Amino acid sequence: RHNLGEYYTPDWLAQRLLNQVNIAFFTSDPDKSSYLRENLLKLRFLDPACGSGTFLALIINRIKEAGKELQIPENAILDAILKNVVGIDLNPLAVIAARTTYILALADLLDNPLRQDIDIPVYLADSIAVPEKASGLWENGKYPLLTVVGKFWVPEAVIDRKRFDTLCELLEEGVRDGILENIFLVRCQAHLNLDENAFKKAEVSLKELYSQIKELNAQHINGIWARILRNGFAPLFIGKFNYIVGNPPWVNWENLPDEYTKRTRELWRSHGLLPHSGMDTILGKGKKDISMLMTYEAMQRYLNDGGRLGFVITQSVFKTSGSGQGFRRFMLGDSTPIKVLHVDDMVELNPFEGASNRTSIIVLEKGKPTSYGYGDISYLYWKKTAKGKTIGFDIDLPEVMKMTHRYQLHAEPVDSKDRTSAWLTGRPLAIKAVKKVLGKSDYTAHAGVYSGGTNAVFWVEILKRQANGLVEIANITEGQKGDVPSESMAIEPDLLYPLLRGRDVKRWHAEPSAWIIMAQDPVKRRGI
C-alpha cells in the first residue's frame, strides 16, 4: 500500500473534508433546509481515487438520511445515487472493496423484487491517463487502453457512451457464443448505428479487437476483457461533476514507473507543474507528487465551472519552495483559474496510522482566482489538546473536534513579488513581524544526500583502517526495507563522508553516527 501511495482514509477525516466542501449539504437539517430539498438528488460527486470507498459510503449515507427525512421515494433516491455518486480507482483490489462498500451502503434500498439489475458506478480505470488522442499513444484513428496483456485498440468511431456500451456487450456475447469474426462484424454493423463510411474505417480495428479478446479467452487468460474495456474507457463518458472529493495517492515523480512518467509527462507540462529542469530537478526541486497532477487534471476534466474539489493532500504543496511551485500557480492547463477556499493543516495530528506524512485538507473552486488578502483563505492549524489519548482510526469527527484545537491563521506567499513562492502562515501580527526580517539568508539550504531508496548500499560503518591506507567498511542493513545482505569490503577513504541522519540532530548539537559512500565528482556533480 505504501509503495502505491495508498493510505485508506479514516471516516472522521473524510467527513471533515466533505463538510468543508459543502457544509450545507452535509450538515443542514433537511426539514429546515430549502437548499437540500432542491439539490439532494441533483448534485454529482466523484472520487477519482476511491480506494475502499470511504467517501462514497459517507455521501450515499447522507443522501439516504436526508431523503428519508424529506420523504422522497426510495426508488428516486436509489436512481439519484447510482447516477450521481461515482468512484474510480486503478487498483483492482481497491475497486472490489469499493464496490462492496457501495452495495452495503445501498442495501436497504435494494430490497425490491421488481427492481432490475443495477450497475455499480465504481470503475477500474486510470482517472489521470485516460485513453485519448493526447496520451501520446494515439495511432491511426484508434484509442489505446494499456493492460497487463498488452494494448487494446478501439476505433474512434465508437467513442460514444451508448455506442461503446453496445460494443462491449457485442464483444462479450460474441466471445461467449464463440462466433466467427465475420459474424461479429455483421452484428456490429446492425447494432452500432454507424454510417457506411464510418463503419468501413472502423471495420479492421473492430475485427482485430474481437480477435484479440477471443484469443485471450481461448488461452483461459480471463474472460472479462470486454468489461475491462468498459471500465477503462469510463472516464471518457462519466460527464461533469459538482464536487470532486477524495484522498489521491501520494507518490513522488521519481518513484513512478518510467512508462507512466512518459505517458503523463505532457499532462504535467500542460498544467505548468514542471517549472524546473536539469540540475534543479536532480537536487530536489523535481520532487513532484502525483497528487498534484490528479488535483489539476481532475478539476480540468471532470469538474463543472464553479464546482469544488476537496482533497486530502500533502502539506508540502504549500510549504516547499521548489517542488510545490508549479502547483501554486493555481491555474489549470486550459488557463482556468483556481481559488483556494480552505486549508486544514493537520501535520501535528498525524492521522494516518503507521505513516509519518504531512497531512492537510485543501478545498478549491474552479473558475475564480486565488487572492491572499486577510480572510480570503481559511487556513486552520490543528493541534491535539487531549493528553494521553490517541486519535484512532475508528473515532468519530465530534470526538476528534473535542480532542483538538484549531487556530485560524493567515496564509500568503513568502515573496510578495512571486505568487508561486512557498506560503508563509501565521497570525497576522506574527507575519507582519516576520516580514520585517525577511531577506536573503547568509546560509544556503540543500536537500542533502539522497540515495534513491538504496541506503543499504551507500550507508556504511567503518570496521577498521588498514595499513595500506584502505578502509574496511560494512553496509548498514538495520531498518532497511526488504532482506538486504550484509557485506564488508575495503575501499578508498576519500569516498567516505560523515553521514548526519535526523536521529543525530539534537538541539544545538549534531554528531554523525555513520558514513556514506559518495561516489560523485564534487565539481561536475555526476557519478564517477
Coordinates of all heavy atoms in Angstrom, one line a residue, residues 371-420:
S371 N -6.8 34.7 -4.1 CA -6.4 36.0 -3.6 C -5.8 35.8 -2.2 O -6.3 34.9 -1.5 CB -7.5 37.1 -3.6 OG -8.6 36.6 -3.0
Y372 N -4.9 36.7 -1.7 CA -4.2 36.5 -0.5 C -4.5 37.6 0.5 O -3.6 37.8 1.4 CB -2.7 36.3 -0.7 CG -2.4 35.0 -1.4 CD1 -2.1 35.0 -2.8 CD2 -2.4 33.8 -0.8 CE1 -1.7 33.9 -3.4 CE2 -2.0 32.6 -1.4 CZ -1.7 32.7 -2.7 OH -1.4 31.5 -3.4
G373 N -5.6 38.3 0.4 CA -5.9 39.3 1.4 C -6.3 38.6 2.7 O -6.6 37.4 2.8
Y374 N -6.3 39.4 3.8 CA -6.7 38.8 5.1 C -8.1 38.3 5.1 O -9.0 39.0 4.7 CB -6.5 39.8 6.2 CG -5.1 40.1 6.6 CD1 -4.5 41.4 6.3 CD2 -4.2 39.1 7.1 CE1 -3.2 41.7 6.6 CE2 -2.9 39.4 7.4 CZ -2.4 40.7 7.1 OH -1.1 40.9 7.4
G375 N -8.3 37.0 5.4 CA -9.6 36.4 5.4 C -10.0 35.7 4.1 O -11.0 35.1 4.0
D376 N -9.2 35.9 3.0 CA -9.5 35.3 1.8 C -9.4 33.8 1.8 O -10.1 33.1 1.1 CB -8.6 35.9 0.6 CG -9.0 37.3 0.3 OD1 -10.1 37.7 0.6 OD2 -8.2 38.1 -0.3
I377 N -8.4 33.3 2.5 CA -8.2 31.9 2.6 C -8.4 31.5 4.1 O -7.8 32.0 5.0 CB -6.8 31.4 2.2 CG1 -6.6 31.7 0.7 CG2 -6.5 30.0 2.4 CD1 -5.2 31.5 0.2
S378 N -9.2 30.5 4.3 CA -9.4 30.0 5.7 C -8.3 28.9 5.9 O -8.4 27.8 5.3 CB -10.8 29.3 5.8 OG -10.9 28.7 7.0
Y379 N -7.3 29.2 6.7 CA -6.2 28.3 7.0 C -6.3 27.9 8.5 O -6.0 28.8 9.3 CB -4.9 28.9 6.6 CG -3.7 28.0 6.6 CD1 -3.2 27.5 5.4 CD2 -3.1 27.6 7.8 CE1 -2.1 26.6 5.4 CE2 -2.0 26.7 7.8 CZ -1.6 26.2 6.6 OH -0.5 25.3 6.6
L380 N -6.7 26.7 8.8 CA -6.8 26.2 10.1 C -5.7 25.3 10.5 O -5.4 24.3 9.8 CB -8.1 25.5 10.3 CG -9.4 26.3 10.3 CD1 -10.6 25.5 10.6 CD2 -9.3 27.5 11.2
Y381 N -5.0 25.6 11.6 CA -3.9 24.8 12.1 C -4.4 24.0 13.2 O -4.9 24.5 14.2 CB -2.7 25.7 12.5 CG -1.6 25.0 13.1 CD1 -0.7 24.2 12.3 CD2 -1.4 25.0 14.5 CE1 0.4 23.6 12.9 CE2 -0.3 24.3 15.1 CZ 0.6 23.6 14.3 OH 1.6 22.9 14.8
W382 N -4.3 22.6 13.1 CA -4.9 21.7 14.1 C -3.8 21.3 15.1 O -2.7 21.0 14.7 CB -5.5 20.5 13.4 CG -6.7 20.7 12.6 CD1 -6.9 21.6 11.6 CD2 -8.0 20.0 12.8 NE1 -8.2 21.6 11.2 CE2 -8.9 20.6 11.8 CE3 -8.4 19.0 13.7 CZ2 -10.2 20.1 11.7 CZ3 -9.7 18.6 13.5 CH2 -10.6 19.1 12.6
K383 N -4.2 21.3 16.4 CA -3.3 20.9 17.4 C -4.0 20.0 18.4 O -5.2 20.4 18.8 CB -2.7 22.1 18.1 CG -1.5 21.8 19.0 CD -0.9 23.0 19.6 CE 0.3 22.8 20.5 NZ 1.4 22.2 19.8
K384 N -3.5 18.9 18.8 CA -4.1 18.0 19.7 C -4.0 18.6 21.1 O -2.9 19.0 21.6 CB -3.5 16.6 19.7 CG -4.4 15.5 20.4 CD -3.9 14.1 20.1 CE -2.7 13.8 21.0 NZ -2.4 12.4 21.1
T385 N -5.1 18.6 21.9 CA -5.1 19.1 23.2 C -5.3 18.0 24.3 O -5.0 18.2 25.5 CB -6.2 20.2 23.4 OG1 -7.4 19.7 23.0 CG2 -5.9 21.4 22.5
A386 N -5.9 16.9 23.9 CA -6.2 15.8 24.8 C -4.9 15.0 25.0 O -4.4 14.3 24.2 CB -7.3 14.9 24.3
K387 N -4.3 15.1 26.2 CA -3.1 14.4 26.5 C -3.3 13.0 26.8 O -4.3 12.6 27.5 CB -2.4 15.1 27.7 CG -1.9 16.5 27.4 CD -1.1 17.1 28.6 CE -0.7 18.5 28.3 NZ 0.0 19.1 29.4
G388 N -2.4 12.1 26.3 CA -2.6 10.7 26.7 C -3.6 9.9 25.8 O -3.7 8.7 26.0
K389 N -4.3 10.6 24.9 CA -5.3 10.0 24.1 C -4.8 10.0 22.6 O -4.2 11.0 22.2 CB -6.6 10.7 24.2 CG -7.3 10.5 25.5 CD -8.7 11.1 25.4 CE -9.5 10.9 26.7 NZ -10.8 11.5 26.6
T390 N -5.0 8.9 21.9 CA -4.6 8.8 20.5 C -5.9 9.0 19.6 O -7.0 8.6 20.0 CB -4.0 7.5 20.2 OG1 -4.9 6.4 20.5 CG2 -2.7 7.3 20.9
I391 N -5.7 9.6 18.5 CA -6.8 9.8 17.6 C -6.8 8.5 16.7 O -6.1 8.4 15.7 CB -6.6 11.1 16.7 CG1 -6.6 12.3 17.7 CG2 -7.7 11.2 15.7 CD1 -6.3 13.6 17.0
G392 N -7.6 7.6 17.1 CA -7.7 6.3 16.4 C -8.4 6.3 15.1 O -9.0 7.3 14.7
F393 N -8.2 5.2 14.4 CA -8.8 5.1 13.0 C -10.3 5.1 13.1 O -11.0 5.7 12.2 CB -8.3 3.8 12.4 CG -8.5 3.8 10.9 CD1 -7.6 4.3 10.0 CD2 -9.7 3.2 10.3 CE1 -7.8 4.3 8.6 CE2 -9.8 3.1 9.0 CZ -8.9 3.7 8.1
D394 N -10.9 4.6 14.1 CA -12.4 4.4 14.2 C -13.1 5.5 15.0 O -14.3 5.3 15.2 CB -12.7 3.0 14.8 CG -12.2 1.9 13.9 OD1 -12.2 2.0 12.7 OD2 -11.8 0.8 14.5
I395 N -12.4 6.5 15.4 CA -13.0 7.5 16.2 C -13.9 8.4 15.3 O -13.7 8.5 14.1 CB -11.9 8.4 16.9 CG1 -12.5 9.1 18.1 CG2 -11.2 9.3 15.9 CD1 -11.4 9.7 18.9
D396 N -14.9 9.1 15.8 CA -15.8 9.9 15.0 C -15.4 11.4 15.1 O -14.6 11.8 15.9 CB -17.3 9.7 15.4 CG -17.6 10.1 16.8 OD1 -16.8 10.9 17.4 OD2 -18.7 9.7 17.3
L397 N -15.9 12.2 14.1 CA -15.5 13.5 14.0 C -15.8 14.4 15.2 O -14.9 15.2 15.7 CB -16.1 14.2 12.7 CG -15.7 15.6 12.5 CD1 -14.2 15.8 12.3 CD2 -16.4 16.1 11.2
P398 N -17.0 14.3 15.8 CA -17.2 15.1 17.0 C -16.2 14.9 18.1 O -15.8 15.8 18.8 CB -18.6 14.7 17.5 CG -19.3 14.3 16.2 CD -18.2 13.6 15.4
E399 N -15.8 13.6 18.3 CA -14.8 13.3 19.3 C -13.4 13.9 19.0 O -12.7 14.4 19.9 CB -14.7 11.8 19.5 CG -13.9 11.3 20.6 CD -14.5 11.7 22.0 OE1 -15.7 11.9 22.1 OE2 -13.7 11.8 23.0
V400 N -13.1 13.8 17.7 CA -11.8 14.4 17.3 C -11.8 15.9 17.5 O -10.8 16.5 18.0 CB -11.5 14.1 15.8 CG1 -10.3 14.9 15.3 CG2 -11.3 12.7 15.5
M401 N -12.9 16.6 17.3 CA -13.1 18.0 17.5 C -12.9 18.4 19.0 O -12.2 19.4 19.3 CB -14.4 18.5 17.0 CG -14.7 18.3 15.6 SD -13.7 19.2 14.4 CE -14.5 20.8 14.4
K402 N -13.3 17.5 19.9 CA -13.2 17.7 21.3 C -11.7 17.5 21.7 O -11.2 18.2 22.7 CB -14.0 16.7 22.1 CG -15.5 16.9 22.0 CD -16.3 15.9 22.8 CE -17.8 16.0 22.6 NZ -18.5 14.9 23.3
M403 N -11.0 16.7 21.0 CA -9.6 16.4 21.4 C -8.6 17.3 20.8 O -7.4 17.2 21.0 CB -9.3 14.9 20.9 CG -10.1 13.9 21.6 SD -9.9 12.2 20.8 CE -8.1 11.9 21.1
T404 N -9.1 18.3 20.0 CA -8.2 19.2 19.3 C -8.6 20.6 19.4 O -9.7 20.9 19.7 CB -8.1 18.8 17.8 OG1 -9.4 18.9 17.2 CG2 -7.6 17.4 17.5
H405 N -7.6 21.5 19.1 CA -8.0 22.9 19.0 C -7.5 23.4 17.6 O -6.5 22.9 17.1 CB -7.3 23.7 20.0 CG -7.7 25.2 20.1 ND1 -8.9 25.5 20.6 CD2 -7.1 26.3 19.6 CE1 -9.0 26.9 20.5 NE2 -8.0 27.3 19.9
R406 N -8.3 24.3 17.0 CA -8.0 24.8 15.7 C -7.7 26.3 15.7 O -8.5 27.1 16.2 CB -9.2 24.5 14.7 CG -9.3 23.0 14.5 CD -10.7 22.5 14.2 NE -11.6 22.8 15.3 CZ -11.7 22.1 16.5 NH1 -10.8 21.1 16.7 NH2 -12.5 22.4 17.4
Y407 N -6.5 26.7 15.2 CA -6.1 28.1 15.2 C -6.3 28.6 13.8 O -5.8 28.1 12.8 CB -4.6 28.2 15.6 CG -4.4 27.6 17.0 CD1 -4.0 26.3 17.2 CD2 -4.5 28.5 18.1 CE1 -3.8 25.8 18.5 CE2 -4.2 28.0 19.4 CZ -3.9 26.7 19.6 OH -3.6 26.2 20.8
Q408 N -7.0 29.8 13.7 CA -7.2 30.4 12.4 C -5.9 31.2 12.1 O -5.5 32.2 12.8 CB -8.4 31.4 12.5 CG -8.7 32.1 11.2 CD -9.2 31.2 10.1 OE1 -10.2 30.5 10.3 NE2 -8.5 31.1 9.0
L409 N -5.2 30.9 11.0 CA -4.0 31.6 10.6 C -4.2 32.2 9.2 O -5.2 31.9 8.5 CB -2.9 30.6 10.5 CG -2.5 29.8 11.7 CD1 -1.3 28.9 11.5 CD2 -2.2 30.7 12.9
H410 N -3.3 33.1 8.9 CA -3.3 33.8 7.6 C -2.3 33.1 6.7 O -1.2 32.7 7.2 CB -3.0 35.3 7.7 CG -2.9 36.0 6.4 ND1 -3.9 36.1 5.5 CD2 -1.8 36.6 5.9 CE1 -3.5 36.8 4.5 NE2 -2.2 37.1 4.6
A411 N -2.5 33.0 5.4 CA -1.6 32.4 4.5 C -1.3 33.3 3.3 O -2.2 33.9 2.8 CB -2.1 31.1 4.0
E412 N 0.0 33.5 3.0 CA 0.3 34.3 1.8 C 1.7 33.9 1.3 O 2.5 33.3 2.0 CB 0.3 35.8 2.1 CG 1.3 36.2 3.2 CD 1.3 37.7 3.5 OE1 0.4 38.1 4.2 OE2 2.2 38.4 3.0
P413 N 2.0 34.2 0.0 CA 3.4 33.8 -0.5 C 4.4 34.5 0.3 O 4.3 35.7 0.6 CB 3.3 34.3 -1.9 CG 1.9 34.4 -2.3 CD 1.2 34.8 -1.0
V414 N 5.5 33.8 0.6 CA 6.6 34.5 1.3 C 7.3 35.6 0.5 O 7.8 36.6 1.1 CB 7.7 33.4 1.7 CG1 8.4 32.9 0.5 CG2 8.7 33.9 2.7
D415 N 7.2 35.5 -0.8 CA 7.8 36.6 -1.6 C 6.6 37.3 -2.3 O 5.9 36.7 -3.2 CB 8.7 36.0 -2.7 CG 9.3 37.0 -3.6 OD1 8.9 38.2 -3.5 OD2 10.2 36.7 -4.4
S416 N 6.3 38.5 -1.9 CA 5.1 39.2 -2.4 C 5.2 39.4 -3.9 O 4.1 39.7 -4.6 CB 4.9 40.5 -1.7 OG 6.1 41.3 -1.9
K417 N 6.4 39.3 -4.5 CA 6.5 39.5 -5.9 C 6.4 38.2 -6.7 O 6.4 38.3 -8.0 CB 7.9 40.2 -6.2 CG 8.1 41.6 -5.6 CD 9.5 42.1 -5.9 CE 9.6 43.5 -5.3 NZ 11.0 44.0 -5.5
D418 N 6.3 37.1 -6.0 CA 6.2 35.8 -6.7 C 5.0 35.0 -6.1 O 5.2 34.5 -5.0 CB 7.5 35.0 -6.5 CG 7.4 33.7 -7.2 OD1 6.4 33.4 -7.9 OD2 8.4 32.9 -7.1
R419 N 3.9 35.0 -6.7 CA 2.7 34.3 -6.2 C 2.9 32.8 -6.1 O 2.1 32.1 -5.5 CB 1.5 34.7 -7.1 CG 1.0 36.1 -7.0 CD -0.1 36.4 -7.9 NE -1.3 35.6 -7.7 CZ -2.2 35.9 -6.8 NH1 -2.1 37.0 -6.1 NH2 -3.3 35.1 -6.6
T420 N 3.9 32.3 -6.8 CA 4.1 30.8 -6.7 C 5.1 30.5 -5.6 O 5.5 29.3 -5.4 CB 4.6 30.3 -8.0 OG1 5.9 30.8 -8.3 CG2 3.7 30.6 -9.2

